[in-house]
Amino acid sequence: MIKIYIFIIQNISMKTNMNKNILLGITGGIAAYKSANICSLLKKNGYNVKVVMTKNATEIITPLTLETLSKNRVAMNMWAEKSNIDVEHINLADWADLVLIAPATYNIIGKVANGIADDMLSTVISASCAPTYFALAMNVNMYNNPILKDNIKKLEGYGYNFIDADSGQLACDWIAKGRLKKETDIVDIINNYFESLEREIFLDGKNILITAGPTEEAIDPIRYLSNRSTGKMGYALAAASVKLGANVTLISGPTNLDIPNGVEFISVKSADDMYKAVFTKFEKMDIAIGCAAVADYRMKEYSPSKIKKNDGDLVFELTRNPDILMEMGRRKNKQILIGFAAESDNLIENAIKKLEKKNLNLIIANSTNAFGNDNNEVFFIDKEKNVLELPKMTKNDLAFKILETLK
Ligand code: C5P
């Protein structure tokens, strides 16, 4: 009998963010108008927010807007009259659990990198010991200026964090890099920071192998068979596993993704290459997750020279590739094995068949729509055929949910 459970997700970030203090610094880039949305999103996520604005920022957005949204007085002037005799810049610096400068202009980065503290915001930053994030936003030529690059490098060396600008239409009409990252993405980065502080490092010292991406099966020197897998799920699993303390080996087919920090990375092309790489590593593993969209077939005969076109049809004969995950299931002794099933029809029934056939501990069933998407909606199915339906979430969040099953 198949038992289906619906997974009710708690608002975890809301819980962890309660009573955390964010000091939002706003500088005078045109993207300053977006800081109102950032302030509002931070409040909705449960943070206390106090705002410091530079004089230039007040030319773009009024302090009243930020005061109304943050429910706190905006600090701008070091010499403003105060209702008490506290040293305000030090109070603000000490109050903050995190400082977020959004938007962060070329100017504020230059000032902080060179030890200049000549207004309220630069002084608060210089006096704060809290983690500090600069969300870059500026004209593309300023963004590419080597002076900015040097300043960022220097500040990174001191432990400051940068939220890189996105590409898109800039206020100066250029379509280029320099646009402030989406407000929701900035708030996600802040949420991730606080969540990481509370994360239990439950995979500490565990060896985990993850396969990711598509495979490429060569037809001739310039052509190949492949599929639409982007590798996002596997790379998210690898990055999350590192954060949970695991020693991660990521074996990946060709993708356009950045290699996650801290993994042992093995790049492969074909299913055969992946098979060989997996079984040089498998024995030492505690956990293996087969997330790659491995091609089931390859050319029966590879053509060493480019196949010439003729007038008629061209017929290829294909032969079966090894099923890497099934072989892991056959060889496993101590390893916990997790696989994926992407199906167009009869998702649960087919996934259960795969779970049994491949001797898995858990299978993640998703529709074929998951390919290339940043979000995924999946079912977890365990050996007892318990089916757990999860709500739609990002692949990054899903990666943590999958790994939590290993607790
Ligand atoms: O049988 P199917 O390819 O649909 O099963 C999907 C699961 O099996 C995925 O976890 C995938 O990584 C793995 N797989 C594999 N080797 C193959 C085909 C699929 O490891 N040749």
Side-chain angles (χ1 to χ4, degrees), residues 37-38 41 45 181-191:
N37 197 19
I38 295 174
L41 287 167
N45 275 263
K181 199 174 257 334
K182 265 204 333 248
E183 296 93 301
T184 46
D185 291 347
I186 293 176
V187 174
D188 278 349
I189 290 169
I190 304 306
N191 285 339

Coordinates of all heavy atoms in Angstrom, one line a residue, residues 37-38 41 45 181-191:
N37 N 12.0 48.8 -0.9 CA 11.5 47.5 -1.1 C 12.3 46.5 -0.2 O 11.7 45.6 0.4 CB 11.5 47.0 -2.6 CG 10.6 45.8 -2.8 OD1 9.7 45.5 -2.0 ND2 10.9 45.2 -3.9
I38 N 13.6 46.7 -0.2 CA 14.5 45.9 0.6 C 14.1 46.0 2.1 O 14.0 45.0 2.8 CB 16.0 46.2 0.4 CG1 16.4 45.9 -1.1 CG2 16.9 45.5 1.4 CD1 17.8 46.3 -1.5
L41 N 10.9 44.2 2.7 CA 11.0 42.8 2.7 C 11.7 42.3 4.0 O 11.4 41.2 4.5 CB 11.9 42.3 1.5 CG 11.1 42.4 0.1 CD1 12.2 42.2 -1.0 CD2 10.1 41.3 0.0
N45 N 10.3 39.7 6.8 CA 11.0 38.5 7.2 C 11.3 38.5 8.7 O 12.0 37.6 9.1 CB 12.3 38.4 6.4 CG 12.0 37.7 5.0 OD1 12.2 36.5 4.9 ND2 11.6 38.5 4.1
K181 N 21.3 43.7 -7.6 CA 20.7 42.4 -7.6 C 19.2 42.5 -7.1 O 18.9 43.4 -6.4 CB 21.4 41.4 -6.6 CG 21.1 40.0 -7.0 CD 21.9 39.0 -6.2 CE 23.1 38.4 -6.9 NZ 23.1 38.2 -8.3
K182 N 18.4 41.6 -7.6 CA 16.9 41.7 -7.2 C 16.8 41.7 -5.7 O 17.4 41.0 -5.0 CB 16.2 40.4 -7.7 CG 15.6 40.6 -9.1 CD 14.4 39.6 -9.4 CE 14.3 38.3 -8.8 NZ 14.5 37.2 -9.6
E183 N 15.8 42.6 -5.3 CA 15.6 42.8 -3.8 C 15.4 41.5 -3.1 O 15.9 41.2 -2.0 CB 14.4 43.7 -3.6 CG 14.7 45.1 -4.1 CD 14.1 45.3 -5.5 OE1 14.5 44.6 -6.4 OE2 13.2 46.2 -5.7
T184 N 14.6 40.6 -3.7 CA 14.3 39.3 -3.0 C 15.5 38.5 -2.9 O 15.7 37.7 -1.9 CB 13.2 38.5 -3.8 OG1 13.5 38.6 -5.2 CG2 11.8 39.1 -3.6
D185 N 16.4 38.5 -3.9 CA 17.7 37.8 -3.9 C 18.6 38.3 -2.8 O 19.2 37.5 -2.1 CB 18.4 37.8 -5.2 CG 17.7 37.1 -6.3 OD1 16.8 36.3 -6.0 OD2 18.0 37.2 -7.5
I186 N 18.6 39.6 -2.6 CA 19.4 40.2 -1.6 C 18.9 39.7 -0.2 O 19.7 39.3 0.7 CB 19.4 41.8 -1.6 CG1 20.1 42.2 -2.9 CG2 20.0 42.4 -0.4 CD1 20.1 43.7 -3.2
V187 N 17.6 39.8 0.0 CA 17.1 39.3 1.3 C 17.3 37.8 1.5 O 17.6 37.4 2.6 CB 15.6 39.7 1.4 CG1 14.9 39.2 2.7 CG2 15.4 41.3 1.4
D188 N 17.2 37.0 0.4 CA 17.6 35.6 0.5 C 19.0 35.4 1.1 O 19.2 34.5 1.9 CB 17.5 34.9 -0.8 CG 16.0 34.6 -1.2 OD1 15.2 34.7 -0.3 OD2 15.8 34.2 -2.3
I189 N 19.9 36.2 0.6 CA 21.3 36.1 1.0 C 21.4 36.4 2.5 O 22.1 35.7 3.2 CB 22.2 37.0 0.1 CG1 22.3 36.5 -1.3 CG2 23.6 37.1 0.7 CD1 22.9 37.4 -2.3
I190 N 20.7 37.4 2.9 CA 20.7 37.7 4.4 C 20.1 36.6 5.2 O 20.7 36.2 6.2 CB 20.0 39.1 4.6 CG1 20.5 40.2 3.7 CG2 19.9 39.4 6.1 CD1 22.0 40.4 3.9
N191 N 19.0 36.1 4.7 CA 18.3 34.9 5.4 C 19.3 33.7 5.5 O 19.4 33.1 6.5 CB 17.1 34.5 4.7 CG 15.9 35.5 4.9 OD1 15.9 36.2 5.8 ND2 14.9 35.4 4.0

